[in-house]
Amino acid sequence: MIHIYCGEGKGKTTAAVGLCVRAAGAGKRVLFVQFFKNGVSSEVRVLQKIDNVRVLFEPKYFGRVSNMTPAEREESRRAYTHLFERCASLVRAGEADVVVLDEIVSACNHGVVEEEKVLAFLDEAQNAEVILTGRGPDERLLRRADYVTEMVKRKHPYDLGITARKGIEF
């Protein structure tokens, strides 16, 4: 089945990580792939220590898409498309029972991964549970999902100028 964790609130990646831990605990092979994050988020260190969990990410951090030059945007598109294709290849080879594509929705929204490729992947990943995270999934992704959970922000310390804290938000 396909899950989408979306919305403006905190908790999309956290929910996906929780599902990874649960699946690995049940003996499932988990592939956790992060877009727009370069492996420094605290959850990566722990996930890499769990048997049955494989973590992929692009080691280069390109910054916010809105701040990228056209050349940086093209470089990020190539890098994230390659990351996605690597993931898809592993799934096609039957190497994962559960796949998390963390921030793939945002990658599609910003044009660094083609949504058509993601939709085609969802059609071919019939033997894997697939979790997509990110803000603002379009209607085609929402229709394709079996689960959609929207995180709603009611209040957040960021609104008071408090930046992300290690171990809590990253």
Side-chain angles (χ1 to χ4, degrees):
M1 293 200 176
I2 299 165
H3 309 233
I4 295 178
Y5 303 150
C6 61
E8 300 296 316
K10 177 184 173 352
K12 297 175 285 293
T13 298
T14 303
V17 169
L19 197 146
C20 287
V21 170
R22 178 178 283 162
K28 295 189 180 294
R29 297 164 303 154
V30 177
L31 179 58
F32 185 83
V33 186
Q34 286 194 311
F35 298 84
F36 296 129
K37 299 173 182 176
N38 61 346
V40 299
S41 295
S42 300
E43 66 271 7
V44 168
R45 189 173 322 128
V46 172
L47 288 173
Q48 289 173 324
K49 293 179 182 179
I50 300 173
D51 289 341
N52 300 336
V53 177
R54 184 172 188 174
V55 179
L56 300 178
F57 54 85
E58 165 56 44
K60 181 171 182 178
Y61 180 65
F62 296 96
R64 294 180 57 87
V65 175
S66 59
N67 295 335
M68 289 180 197
T69 66
E72 290 169 330
R73 189 177 179 109
E74 178 57 26
E75 182 184 2
S76 75
R77 188 196 63 72
R78 282 192 307 271
Y80 292 129
T81 296
H82 176 73
L83 179 64
F84 175 76
E85 289 170 353
R86 184 173 169 209
C87 165
S89 177
L90 290 168
V91 174
R92 277 192 296 276
E95 295 191 27
D97 303 308
V98 175
V99 181
V100 172
L101 299 173
D102 187 37
E103 294 297 344
I104 191 69
V105 173
S106 302
C108 290
N109 289 343
H110 291 293
V112 298
V113 175
E114 291 178 33
E115 189 169 299
E116 294 300 328
K117 289 183 178 187
V118 174
L119 290 164
F121 168 78
L122 295 176
D123 289 337
E124 67 185 33
Q126 301 276 327
N127 294 324
E129 199 86 4
V130 181
I131 297 87
L132 314 174
T133 74
R135 297 174 181 211
D138 84 359
E139 198 55 43
R140 295 183 306 165
L141 286 174
L142 291 171
R143 278 195 309 270
R144 186 66 180 83
D146 300 291
Y147 298 82
V148 177
T149 301
E150 185 173 0
M151 312 301 185
V152 177
K153 182 188 85 148
R154 302 268 186 222
K155 186 177 186 181
H156 195 290
Y158 186 78
D159 298 334
L160 301 173
I162 299 171
T163 58
R165 298 164 297 143
K166 186 172 181 103
I168 305 300
E169 287 88 19
F170 76 97

